[in-house]
Amino acid sequence: MTRNRVIGTSVKRREDPDLITGRGRYTDDLTRPGMLHLAIVRSPYAHAVVGRIDATRALEVPGVVAVYTAADLEASGIPGVVPTAWLLPDLKTPPHPLLAKDRVRYVGDGVALVVADSRYSARDGADLVEVDYEPLQGVSNPRKATEAGAPQLFDEAPGNIAFDWELGDAEATDRAFEGAATVAKVALRNNRLIPHAVEPRAALAEWDRSAGSVTIHMTSQNPHVHRLLMSLASLGLPEHKIRIVAPEVGGGFGSKIHHYPDEALAAWCAMQLDRPVKWTATRSETNMTDAHGRDHVTEAEIALDEDGRIVGLRANTWAAMGAYLSTFAPAVPTYLHGTLLSGQYAIPAIHVHVFGVFTSTTPVDAYRGAGRPEATYIVERLLDRAADETGLDAAEIRRRNFVPPDAFPFQTQVALAYDSGNYAPALDRALEMAGYDDLLAEQSRRRADGDGPLLGVGLSSYIEACGIAPSQVVGSLGAQAGLWESAKIRVHPTGSVTVYTGSSAHGQGHETTFSQIVAEKLGLDVDQVDVVHGDTREVQFGMGTYGSRSAAVGGSAIVTGLDKVIAKGRRIAAHMLEAATEDVVFEDGAFQVKGVPDRAKAWGEVVLAAYLAHDLPEEMEPGLEATSFYNPSNFTYPFGTHVAVVEIDRETGVVRLVRYVAVDDVGNVINPMIVDGQIHGGIAQGVGQALWEEAVYDDDGQLLTGTMLDYALPRAHNLPSYELDRTVTPCPHNPLGVKGVGEAGAIASPAAVVNAVVDALFHLGVRHLDMPLTPEKVWRAMKEGGRS
Amino acid sequence: MVPSAFDFHRAGSVDEAIELLGRLPDAKLLAGGHSLIPMMKLRLAQPGAVIDIGRIQELSGVCRDGDVVSVGALTRHGEIAASEELRASCPLLAEAAGKIGDPAVRNRGTLGGNIAHADPASDLPAVLIAVGAVVHLAGPEGRRQVAARDFFVDLLTTALDPAEVITRVDFPVAAPGTGQAYLKHEHPASGYAVVGAAASVTLSGGRCTAASLAFNGISAVPHAADEVVSGLVGGTLDDASLASVSSLLSVRDPLGDVHASGEYRVELARVYGRRALASARDRASG
Ligand SMILES: Cc1cc2nc3c(=O)[nH]c(=O)nc-3n(C[C@H](O)[C@H](O)[C@H](O)COP(=O)(O)OP(=O)(O)OC[C@H]3O[C@@H](n4cnc5c(N)ncnc54)[C@H](O)[C@@H]3O)c2cc1C
């Protein structure tokens, strides 16, 4: 009899009872006796010379204990910077000090620290620190920042150019365009986004003077990476003298991957004052200091032959880096973006040119999807533009250009080798669910009759490279870290299991999903498995959670660890059963002699034997525990097709998303409910980008949308119920056959929605509109038609 | 939230609130707190003292007396939206209150706080203008009444003296044959009104005997669109006539932000004004 499978079932998230009843403990919930509070004085100017800083009045505020500036940090002898951890050839890396010294470069750049015995006194003190600024001209648009006469942010980076990066064969691409029957173009802006994790960033730092070590509880997606960067670049303490703990973390979307000054500053203050110090960002502070996402200016074109087959694709992108290079910032518009420009299509010639540009704005870094939404947006807008120019239907032109199923593994012209894929079935299923032909007929009817809102249908056939990533590959591309993952499987004498994983969750449900993997492999109940993560003292080492990597890389590490445990169990069982190890199999929670089911030892018996060690095979160590480090051999390549259906009020331009169909292929699915949840959230974020969200800076670099009063997040009542389905093409190179799902929704949906809106307005001559598609923008486009 | 320091007082009566307001420097009344507290959080408001009026019984409730329905200043948006009395006698107010924010906001926010704050994007000010409400104030010099049109003076500025308390607002009971409608274009971030159109029309024998229209969101104070409705009395309010008058809307210095410029707001107001009038007409005859 085979046990019911655990993998593939919607086990309820074990995380939720605490989280939804208010028992979750987040960093800001923690307090310590004698704890002080840190407030950071931040620049109100986008670009200014910093003169005298006068703390006299701040120090008079009752409760204020200390005020520090960059000079104090310097005097303490610490390295004092936050580095970038991804290097490109000729990358300009002007230092990003923990506090700005002579010059501030964005609104929010820290200039002074106020530590006080309450949050209120700290803030009162911060308001009274007097800083002399000599304002300079700022610049927020990445393309304008490269133009002659633009304000220069760093002497080391003439023209504000941090890097100039190309990929693909320029000459072959030029030739493809010369011989093309059709060329379609688009000039677009990928709007800058603010991540908005529900929990703002926070840190509580404790200094143990006797041990010479610091413990930092903080909002981290990757505690070990934070520890490494704190040690090497910020604090200068040896790595083993820093402990980082991520308690409950309320979302991140990338913003809590990066290493920022603030958490290190809290630690430095704790060390100076020998008291616990807490820093918790306010929402406004979060909005101006959490690394933003996207912010590209792109010109792209696509070339096709007479049959509507793509012969070439070309893109030039100016990607804002913001005021300093954030942790993984240089990788995002390059290796996570340029490499994805083949989409789901067999494109024989591609060339991409990216300028990374310093702007006097909040730094930009990975945000849910990180480079891949930008790439998908370019490719899928171009496919629609190509459909416009060739007269082919939007679905047909995609189908005609898909990489065919027998062409895998498929080497693209932009470095990636897609491991597996089968694109047409996902498109077909999505069209069928949407009722594509009926929708197009209804669209024509409404156009002809002139009544009812305009109807638009948009497709997005996306690809992503995730499960980040093979260490050798990323190393050769400039990553200053390996991107493997670790797991430790500790089997307790009574047979239950604790798993230590380097994938540090922040809301995704790892504890549930990983327990399912262990339960399935060992034949246990999920309740017999505990998952420990997010503490550098408990967990060996780990790379963290981002890039849709936790199941594909972290989960695979758990599987290889389980394999080691099972292998040892088989040797013990063979010994107990007086059989050869090769003849013993582990199935349904028991070790048995192959083909002889009654010669078997239960899991519990074997585990106990390992710990009793009364009679183990010769030279075998007692105990049952295994550590594994899993290094993937390739990225994984989830894909799918999404269909957005919009209605547009003809008088006001208000866009209503009326239906959203998503067919995704994320390989094998461990917990369908959790996977659907990831898709749901990702779609909401992508629709938010398409319709509402934008971090708006004025020309001088003042953030005009710094609060939730101005920055428009998607809300439940603005979204339809999604219609979801899946195809399953397992990943061939990891033991679970999983690909990752965390970013798919956010990658696919902006293009689907924009394509739908442009489709609705097509008969008026509209060929492109930039996100967000505010009612006013749409209204103007309707008025001006093709002139827009 | 990290506001600057303030003293906290709770007033047991309107008189006590007035006395505290007169005595304490930089004092602010606290009703539902849903405008004041966000301002304090951002330190845009730093009152020296906060006087909580939230428990003064006499300030709360809906009460009809003849052809006037009085609504206490402390009546919550949610109570207004749900009030059977108001849905019958001043449906415009109930409808607009029901479109404010979300349930949490409606369960805390109050009528008095909403109009005292005089945010141009609020939903209630134009309602008061459209129906000709009267605001009742109490202060150290005694009590007085101010017509809605005179109450809203400028952006975040009203006819209220610093030491006065709004006690209630009187709304005329809608005449027989009256239909009303509030239409709102929600701000995508804040949920406040980019444009809110408040319309009221009265029909008799198929002809319009009274019509009014006012807008939130498009100008510093609610815009009373007399230029639009003045020609409607005596007519049948057919779609063509509504379309033609709605284009008469004229707004000086319209408000704008990154989500909607002044030009677009005026255009939206023309559309929403026409639709609100049409909906009011349909309700009046229906
Ligand atoms: C998330 C959110 C969304 C919102 N959305 C909307 C919306 O869509 N539409 C909308 O119209 N509003 C909206 N609001 C505002 C809400 O309606 C407020 O409740 C209202 O504007 C203020 O009422 P309050 O009782 O909360 O006043 P408070 O915040 O307590 O006070 C506001 C001001 O009025 C003064 N005040 C209060 N009562 C009196 C009185 N009786 N006499 C004299 N002065 C007084 C106070 O001193 C203060 O200056 C929203 C608020 C929030 C937080």
Side-chain angles (χ1 to χ4, degrees):
Chain A
M1 194 196 80
T2 351
R3 288 176 73 252
N4 288 336
R5 288 178 56 87
V6 190
I7 285 185
T9 61
S10 291
V11 173
K12 284 217 172 118
R13 284 170 34 117
R14 63 166 60 166
E15 293 87 345
D16 286 345
D18 272 356
L19 295 181
I20 62 184
T21 56
R23 277 178 296 164
R25 304 276 287 164
Y26 297 84
T27 300
D28 190 55
D29 293 324
L30 308 174
T31 57
R32 297 288 183 262
M35 184 173 82
L36 298 171
H37 295 263
L38 166 65
I40 300 177
V41 180
R42 299 186 182 279
S43 168
Y45 295 102
H47 192 195
V49 174
V50 181
R52 207 175 59 104
I53 299 178
D54 184 350
T56 318
R57 290 180 60 211
L59 285 165
E60 286 164 3
V61 172
V64 168
V65 173
V67 177
Y68 299 113
T69 66
D72 299 301
L73 295 175
E74 257 178 33
S76 75
I78 58 166
V81 296
V82 290
T84 187
W86 197 297
L87 301 178
L88 300 172
D90 297 326
L91 180 71
K92 306 294 185 297
T93 54
H96 180 188
L98 293 177
L99 283 178
K101 208 174 93 189
D102 308 320
R103 230 195 298 176
V104 287
R105 294 183 173 85
Y106 73 99
V107 173
D109 214 351
V111 290
L113 308 176
V114 179
V115 188
D117 60 10
S118 79
R119 192 166 276 189
Y120 303 98
S121 302
R123 175 65 200 271
D124 289 347
D127 285 356
L128 292 174
V129 172
E130 286 164 19
V131 184
D132 288 342
Y133 294 102
E134 187 190 310
L136 301 170
Q137 189 65 36
V139 59
S140 54
N141 179 302
R143 189 162 186 185
K144 285 191 189 151
T146 63
E147 287 168 3
Q152 300 294 299
L153 290 175
F154 295 100
D155 296 341
E156 303 91 310
N160 295 313
I161 291 177
F163 62 82
D164 173 348
W165 179 89
E166 289 181 65
L167 183 67
D169 187 335
E171 276 174 36
T173 308
D174 288 346
R175 280 197 304 277
F177 275 86
E178 278 157 26
T182 310
V183 171
K185 303 182 189 210
V186 69
L188 57 85
R189 179 97 207 233
N190 202 295
N191 40 330
R192 176 184 276 253
L193 305 176
I194 302 179
H196 279 96
V198 169
E199 181 204 20
R201 276 190 301 121
L204 167 61
E206 297 162 85
W207 172 238
D208 180 336
R209 190 160 26 162
S210 315
S213 66
V214 68
T215 298
I216 310 169
H217 283 76
M218 61 180 272
T219 47
S220 173
Q221 296 181 219
N222 37 207
H224 290 89
V225 176
H226 275 126
R227 183 179 64 173
L228 187 65
L229 296 173
M230 289 265 191
S231 168
L232 288 177
S234 302
L235 299 176
L237 280 177
E239 206 177 351
H240 68 291
K241 295 294 188 187
I242 302 175
R243 175 184 173 201
I244 301 224
V245 188
E248 291 297 355
V249 177
F253 310 118
S255 66
K256 293 170 184 168
I257 301 172
H258 324 310
H259 178 40
Y260 300 90
D262 317 290
E263 295 84 350
L265 289 167
W268 183 83
C269 290
M271 291 162 65
Q272 297 300 301
L273 298 165
D274 200 10
R275 286 173 70 179
V277 172
K278 186 195 279 184
W279 168 78
T280 302
T282 64
R283 177 59 60 184
S284 311
E285 213 175 1
T286 286
N287 285 2
M288 66 181 152
T289 64
D290 280 17
H292 292 175
R294 325 285 189 247
D295 202 358
H296 289 190
V297 173
T298 293
E299 287 175 352
E301 47 191 341
I302 192 166
L304 302 103
D305 67 14
E306 310 67 39
D307 298 328
R309 278 180 217 286
I310 306 169
V311 294
L313 186 150
R314 187 149 62 194
N316 294 317
T317 289
W318 291 260
M321 294 284 102
Y324 305 98
L325 294 175
S326 178
T327 313
F328 289 115
V332 176
T334 54
Y335 291 108
L336 295 175
H337 173 248
T339 52
L340 272 299
L341 287 172
S342 200
Q344 296 188 0
Y345 312 105
I347 305 180
I350 302 177
H351 181 250
V352 49
H353 195 165
V354 180
F355 295 97
V357 184
F358 289 112
T359 52
S360 58
T361 59
T362 300
V364 179
D365 204 331
Y367 167 62
R368 199 173 195 170
R372 290 150 293 168
E374 296 92 312
T376 297
Y377 187 59
I378 293 173
V379 174
E380 291 303 288
R381 285 296 300 125
L382 281 176
L383 262 287
D384 264 31
R385 290 286 301 113
D388 301 346
E389 299 294 334
T390 56
L392 285 169
D393 168 72
E396 174 54 26
I397 197 164
R398 285 174 169 78
R399 203 189 318 271
R400 215 171 266 195
N401 286 286
F402 281 155
V403 174
D406 57 8
F408 292 91
F410 177 78
Q411 178 62 52
T412 70
Q413 296 305 308
V414 273
L416 295 178
Y418 298 168
D419 55 4
S420 64
N422 191 5
Y423 303 142
L427 171 72
D428 292 341
R429 178 72 186 123
L431 297 180
E432 178 195 326
M433 286 166 69
Y436 186 64
D437 295 335
D438 294 344
L439 285 169
L440 294 186
E442 172 67 10
Q443 175 185 63
S444 308
R445 191 195 64 72
R446 290 196 198 176
R447 278 181 189 162
D449 296 359
D451 73 323
L454 293 172
L455 188 69
V457 186
L459 306 182
S460 174
S461 296
Y462 72 99
I463 184 116
E464 55 171 321
C466 59
I468 287 174
S471 301
Q472 301 87 326
V473 176
V474 297
S476 72
L477 302 181
Q480 302 299 296
L483 287 172
W484 43 267
E485 195 47 88
S486 77
K488 181 163 73 188
I489 314 295
R490 176 170 293 167
V491 184
H492 305 292
T494 51
S496 62
V497 174
T498 302
V499 175
Y500 299 79
T501 173
S503 291
S504 183
H506 45 288
Q508 293 86 352
H510 289 16
E511 291 170 37
T512 305
T513 304
F514 290 167
S515 298
Q516 285 180 256
I517 296 174
V518 177
E520 172 89 25
K521 286 286 266 183
L522 298 184
L524 303 174
D525 287 338
V526 284
D527 296 341
Q528 289 172 279
V529 185
D530 254 1
V531 177
V532 174
H533 61 81
D535 184 341
T536 57
R537 196 174 68 183
E538 300 270 338
V539 175
Q540 47 292 344
F541 196 91
M543 298 310 303
T545 289
Y546 42 84
S548 306
R549 67 194 304 274
S550 293
V553 191
S556 295
I558 290 172
V559 173
T560 52
L562 290 168
D563 288 343
K564 292 185 190 177
V565 161
I566 292 168
K568 183 169 178 183
R570 280 175 59 217
R571 285 180 60 208
I572 297 170
H575 184 71
M576 295 166 84
L577 293 162
E578 296 179 352
T581 305
E582 310 79 73
D583 291 340
V584 172
V585 293
F586 181 64
E587 261 169 22
D588 302 332
F591 296 90
Q592 53 169 280
V593 178
K594 211 182 297 171
V596 194
D598 49 349
R599 278 188 71 200
K601 290 283 170 193
W603 165 253
E605 291 176 90
V606 172
V607 173
L608 191 60
Y611 279 94
L612 291 175
H614 295 166
D615 182 17
L616 289 178
E618 225 161 289
E619 290 177 26
M620 179 183 275
E621 292 176 7
L624 194 53
E625 176 165 314
T627 302
S628 66
F629 291 81
Y630 177 81
N631 194 20
S633 60
N634 193 354
F635 294 89
T636 60
Y637 298 92
F639 63 85
T641 290
H642 289 199
V643 183
V645 183
V646 301
E647 285 187 345
I648 298 177
D649 185 313
R650 295 180 199 236
E651 289 183 292
T652 62
V654 172
V655 176
R656 207 160 66 86
L657 181 65
V658 290
R659 286 181 62 200
Y660 197 93
V661 175
V663 178
D664 296 285
D665 193 318
V666 298
N668 291 334
V669 168
I670 299 168
N671 184 318
M673 175 192 71
I674 287 180
V675 165
D676 285 350
Q678 288 289 334
I679 296 283
H680 278 229
I683 292 171
Q685 262 167 313
V687 172
Q689 166 164 33
L691 294 181
W692 304 292
E693 294 186 41
E694 181 170 30
V696 181
Y697 283 94
D698 68 14
D699 287 341
D700 293 335
Q702 283 293 336
L703 179 58
L704 303 181
T705 54
T707 75
M708 284 177 167
L709 271 178
D710 312 297
Y711 186 92
L713 290 169
R715 295 156 189 246
H717 75 272
N718 295 324
L719 297 165
S721 282
Y722 309 132
E723 301 161 59
L724 306 186
D725 200 2
R726 276 189 273 281
T727 62
V728 178
T729 312
C731 171
H733 61 75
N734 68 44
L736 290 163
V738 298
K739 300 184 194 167
V741 68
E743 298 158 294
I747 290 170
S749 52
V753 173
V754 173
N755 283 345
V757 170
V758 173
D759 178 57
L761 304 175
F762 186 81
H763 63 302
L764 302 174
V766 176
R767 295 296 175 267
H768 178 71
L769 286 176
D770 273 336
M771 303 183 286
L773 300 169
T774 61
E776 175 160 6
K777 231 182 251 176
V778 173
W779 171 73
R780 288 191 187 281
M782 289 192 298
K783 276 207 315 190
E784 293 160 16
R787 284 173 290 123
S788 71
Chain B
M1 100 149 196
V2 196
S4 56
F6 57 90
D7 291 330
F8 181 81
H9 299 265
R10 178 168 288 145
S13 65
V14 173
D15 288 343
E16 191 185 349
I18 295 167
E19 188 267 325
L20 287 167
L21 269 180
R23 183 157 59 80
L24 303 165
D26 297 333
K28 275 275 178 198
L29 298 179
L30 176 73
H34 270 48
S35 290
L36 181 59
I37 290 176
M39 302 268 290
M40 289 170 64
K41 211 163 130 171
L42 294 169
R43 297 198 169 197
L44 295 172
Q46 306 198 0
V50 165
I51 303 163
D52 181 10
I53 56 169
R55 300 186 185 187
I56 303 179
Q57 289 294 331
E58 59 186 293
L59 284 180
S60 199
V62 177
C63 153
R64 178 166 171 177
D65 183 7
D67 53 8
V68 169
V69 57
S70 300
V71 184
L74 210 60
T75 315
R76 316 270 168 188
H77 307 322
E79 289 172 61
I80 292 176
S83 159
E84 287 303 328
E85 176 58 53
L86 285 173
R87 285 151 75 119
S89 54
C90 190
L92 184 57
L93 177 65
E95 186 176 16
K99 288 182 178 170
I100 290 176
D102 53 41
V105 175
R106 295 195 289 274
N107 287 339
R108 297 298 309 167
T110 67
L111 170 63
N114 192 290
I115 62 172
H117 189 55
D119 187 324
S122 280
D123 286 299
L124 301 182
V127 171
L128 270 66
I129 300 232
V131 301
V134 176
V135 183
H136 288 244
L137 309 174
E141 321 282 299
R143 306 214 163 207
R144 66 185 179 117
Q145 306 177 9
V146 181
R149 282 191 186 229
D150 302 324
F151 184 75
F152 300 100
V153 174
D154 203 346
L155 203 74
L156 306 177
T157 311
T158 67
L160 193 63
D161 280 344
E164 280 181 316
V165 178
I166 303 170
T167 54
R168 65 172 208 261
V169 181
D170 284 353
F171 295 86
V173 171
T178 298
Q180 302 181 332
Y182 185 72
L183 279 189
K184 172 178 183 178
H185 180 89
E186 253 183 42
H187 191 282
S190 71
Y192 278 74
V194 170
V195 168
S200 179
V201 301
T202 308
L203 295 180
S204 175
R207 300 248 157 217
C208 174
T209 56
S212 62
L213 178 66
F215 293 98
N216 294 310
I218 56 177
S219 44
V221 293
H223 179 81
D226 300 336
E227 72 277 18
V228 173
V229 291
S230 59
L232 290 177
V233 174
T236 58
L237 305 189
D238 57 291
D239 286 345
S241 63
L242 295 185
S244 78
V245 295
S246 64
S247 64
L248 299 175
L249 177 71
S250 147
V251 186
R252 245 194 303 138
D253 299 328
L255 298 175
D257 72 355
V258 298
H259 293 280
S261 69
E263 182 193 359
Y264 176 62
R265 278 176 203 240
V266 172
E267 180 60 27
L268 270 184
R270 293 202 170 108
V271 175
Y272 279 76
R274 192 194 74 229
R275 290 178 185 175
L277 284 169
S279 169
R281 172 201 65 199
D282 295 345
R283 290 173 180 180
S285 37

